[in-house]
Amino acid sequence: MTGYEIIKGNINFTGPERIGIRFDRIAGKGDVYRIFVLPPADKRPEGTYSVKKKFRPQNKAFDEWGCYWESDDETGSDMGQPTNIPLKEIEDLETYVFPDPKAPGRFDGLEEALKEAEEKQLYVQLNSPHCIFERMHFLRGFQDTLMDCIAEPEAIEEMARKLADYQIGIIEEAYRLGKGRIHCYDTTDDWGTQNSLMISPELFREIFKPQYKRIFDKAHACGMDVRFHTDGKVNDILLDIIEVGANIINIHQPRLLGIDEVSKIAQGKVCFEVSVDIQATMPTGDKKLIEEEVKELVDKWATKDGGMIAVEYGYLNAIGTTKESMLYELECFEKYGKLR
């Protein structure tokens, strides 16, 4: 089977021969070809850019959203954080000009990338990060965003709608330029702390869930699957994310959520893109623990008909692990990820 067929088989539970693999950065191996939305040509430093390489916020510089980014990490493993608040008052939303999702330059190098992916027969995944909640608190500030969800729900709902409109525009432009050759829309919003959601499940469902549905519906209408990354203890909204159309859910902290608990909630209902826990297990470097966790994940999160993609975590220094441990994780997923 081709890489594309392996991934589609796992997403659709149609009985692929093995789980999917995405270890392209660490091992140069996998079934997925990732491409990335770029800033517009007039909003980035001079140089040659391609969707084949992720664009990180520039240190001590404004991005196209008006956020000023700072980072002490020169390795690129930490993208830094905004240190200003573009929307100091929620009323500033009325005059704020949102970036144009269809601005020239966002998909530079797309045709070359798609040809390469097709030659390798890989599954093409388009990353457009910071979907709604992350972008919202980048613009408004984290504390004020949480307060606004309670005190200014109508304004926050309007902001969520406009941020969803931006992502919908990205999908539309990707579909126009890619001519149906992009297989997946991939986005991110971290919703969990170590213990719970950052807001109540009720507020999530009232304010954010309808906007995710709008975005995911557009992706599906354009023939794309949806991959959604979220970190933290997000158990309370896993079914909501599945309900609005996520086909793949990316999780790097399976022990934090509880492997058994997640199995009861969603095994067989969504394709998990999962790594061995990057907090509890990978930093130990203990091969026995890594192997046991891989076996448990395949057993409890995949099914005999599919439902899993094994994924690397590319920022080794950030989690205090080694390339050797990550390659052993891959070896274990390949060993135990055979489905027939």
Side-chain angles (χ1 to χ4, degrees), residues 18-164:
R18 59 171 173 83
I19 66 172
I21 297 291
R22 183 164 78 77
F23 275 71
D24 46 299
R25 284 180 290 181
I26 301 297
K29 180 180 282 190
D31 305 304
V32 176
Y33 190 103
R34 296 193 87 202
I35 57 177
F36 306 90
V37 175
L38 296 167
D42 63 349
K43 300 292 185 181
R44 62 196 190 206
E46 290 186 9
T48 302
Y49 296 87
S50 170
V51 295
K52 293 165 67 173
K53 184 176 180 180
K54 191 166 193 172
F55 183 93
R56 288 291 191 185
Q58 301 297 290
N59 186 32
K60 299 189 183 303
F62 287 95
D63 66 12
E64 62 177 308
W65 295 83
C67 295
Y68 187 80
W69 288 83
E70 295 189 57
S71 174
D72 295 328
D73 182 3
E74 297 180 358
T75 69
S77 66
D78 176 7
M79 71 179 184
Q81 60 184 1
T83 57
N84 68 327
I85 299 178
L87 300 179
K88 291 184 173 60
E89 304 294 337
I90 193 63
E91 290 78 14
D92 295 339
L93 180 64
E94 297 176 8
T95 56
Y96 178 79
V97 178
F98 283 74
D100 179 3
K102 302 179 183 181
R106 289 206 184 277
F107 293 90
D108 284 352
L110 178 63
E111 185 61 29
E112 176 189 358
L114 291 178
K115 286 181 178 178
E116 185 176 340
E118 287 164 353
E119 288 172 2
K120 297 179 179 179
Q121 297 182 292
L122 299 177
Y123 178 84
V124 180
Q125 199 176 79
L126 172 68
N127 177 252
S128 180
H130 316 313
C131 188
I132 301 177
F133 182 63
E134 289 177 343
R135 186 66 67 185
M136 185 179 285
H137 66 71
F138 290 169
L139 291 171
R140 183 74 181 102
F142 187 75
Q143 182 174 333
D144 284 335
T145 296
L146 297 184
M147 292 175 63
D148 288 342
C149 286
I150 302 295
E152 301 284 352
E154 291 184 3
I156 282 294
E157 286 176 10
E158 176 66 8
M159 190 174 181
R161 185 188 66 79
K162 289 183 175 181
L163 290 168

Side-chain angles (χ1 to χ4, degrees), residues 308-320:
M308 179 170 286
I309 302 164
V311 66
E312 66 190 356
Y313 188 82
Y315 307 115
L316 306 184
N317 292 337
I319 62 171

Side-chain angles (χ1 to χ4, degrees), residues 276-329:
V276 168
D277 197 289
I278 63 170
Q279 289 182 312
T281 310
M282 288 306 296
T284 70
D286 188 317
K287 288 188 173 182
K288 183 179 179 181
L289 292 179
I290 292 170
E291 183 172 7
E292 288 175 349
E293 189 163 317
V294 167
K295 290 170 66 176
E296 187 176 10
L297 286 167
V298 173
D299 179 55
K300 296 178 178 178
W301 286 19
T303 75
K304 63 180 179 58
D305 295 318
M308 179 170 286
I309 302 164
V311 66
E312 66 190 356
Y313 188 82
Y315 307 115
L316 306 184
N317 292 337
I319 62 171
T321 194
T322 64
K323 184 176 180 179
E324 178 187 12
S325 293
M326 201 67 67
L327 290 174
Y328 185 70
E329 177 192 15

Side-chain angles (χ1 to χ4, degrees), residues 177-235:
L177 295 173
K179 301 177 177 65
R181 296 149 71 196
I182 298 171
H183 307 131
C184 180
Y185 163 77
D186 161 25
T187 194
T188 68
D189 266 332
D190 285 344
W191 271 111
T193 68
Q194 291 291 105
N195 303 304
S196 65
L197 292 180
M198 297 180 191
I199 63 174
S200 70
E202 292 74 22
L203 276 176
F204 175 87
R205 291 167 188 142
E206 180 180 343
I207 297 172
F208 297 95
K209 185 176 178 179
Q211 301 309 323
Y212 285 125
K213 187 174 190 307
R214 290 180 61 226
I215 298 168
F216 296 176
D217 282 352
K218 173 58 70 173
H220 291 149
C222 292
M224 300 178 198
D225 300 315
V226 173
R227 172 195 182 265
F228 187 74
H229 161 83
T230 188
D231 274 334
K233 186 81 170 178
V234 295
N235 305 49

